[in-house]
Amino acid sequence: MMQRKHGNVDWHLSSVMLVGAGLCLLTSIAACSLFSQGRSVYDQAGIRIGLEADPSVRPSGEAGLNNHPINLSPKNLEVLLQPIYVTGYSGTITGLLTKPQPVPLFTLQELTTITEHLASAFREATPTERVFFSLPKPGVTYSEDRTVGSLFFRGPHLHIIVTDHSSIIRTDTSGGDYKDFWDTKGMKLWVTGPAHAAVIPELDEPRWAPFEKVHISLMVNELLARKETTSSVRTKQERTDSPASLPTATSLEPLQGSTSPKELHRQMRELSDTNQELKDQLDEQNKRMEQLQKQVEQLQREMPDSNLKGQP
């Protein structure tokens, strides 16, 4: 009986050791996926942009592969990333008592700095890789808070994943680990109008990693088409309102210089004839005035003086 009990104990110990080894293996795999730095494309001034293996790629078939490499201009990437906002809070109590205000995922200065390097990374990415970014908190000399996430194109969508944002300070762990990967700070991603988040069919939904619960997707062609339409309308308005469309002095010069000498001579002759007619009319009026003046003088002489004196 004791030997059997000892055997049961050995079996239980073996089971516990196997489970512990499995947990350690899973933890190691998760740690490797989380802390894998991939290959860097840009690493300066605290900004790090690079490529890493995409855990959402499905191993079987090509349905889960990314559209990489992809050639997009920095301006188009700026159009795609500018309408994305993020909200969040630090600590559960803060999240219950306050309403977080949306802030841009990237500031305009950050977009100007990183879009060129993001475009380079996408040109180097493979179908099983995605682009990651890690940016320091803007406007401060030193801070442990950073903006961290990744991007990848698949099908007609751009997928954005955010695991941390510098505007939301980290929760005090009371001396524990610096980063709790399950703590997403209550973050949510938003898309400002007129753009909107894409609704992805269940079959096309990426297989998100366990710690990547904060993500959003955009329709690439729709946003870029709206950008082109807006640009064309603005260009037409500028052309309509431009002073260049109004007549200028230079545009009148050909009209002035196109009069021939013969035409000028004819115009001068007409002016001369008109002046002569006016002169003749003036002479005629002067003659009539002289005649009238003579008639008045004659009437004055013929009228008797008594009659003039008796007049009131």
Side-chain angles (χ1 to χ4, degrees), residues 208-224:
W208 306 107
F211 302 111
E212 297 176 347
K213 297 182 177 181
V214 184
H215 50 78
I216 201 166
S217 305
L218 303 173
M219 289 291 294
V220 177
N221 292 337
E222 181 181 337
L223 275 177
L224 295 182

Side-chain angles (χ1 to χ4, degrees), residues 164-175:
D164 203 355
H165 197 266
S166 61
S167 66
I168 312 167
I169 61 174
R170 65 187 181 94
T171 306
D172 186 6
T173 56
S174 301

Side-chain angles (χ1 to χ4, degrees), residues 72-80 82 115-116 119 224 227:
L72 282 175
S73 67
K75 190 64 179 177
N76 284 340
L77 282 173
E78 185 174 340
V79 171
L80 294 172
Q82 189 171 358
T115 48
E116 181 178 354
L224 295 182
K227 170 236 178 184

Side-chain angles (χ1 to χ4, degrees), residues 74-128:
K75 190 64 179 177
N76 284 340
L77 282 173
E78 185 174 340
V79 171
L80 294 172
L81 297 176
Q82 189 171 358
I84 303 175
Y85 278 63
V86 61
T87 59
Y89 52 83
S90 177
T92 305
I93 302 299
T94 305
L96 293 174
L97 298 179
T98 62
K99 183 178 180 181
Q101 297 298 320
V103 296
L105 177 62
F106 302 109
T107 65
L108 293 178
Q109 181 61 41
E110 288 175 331
L111 284 175
T112 303
T113 304
I114 67 174
T115 48
E116 181 178 354
H117 307 296
L118 289 175
S120 300
F122 278 117
R123 286 192 291 267
E124 298 180 16
T126 65
T128 59

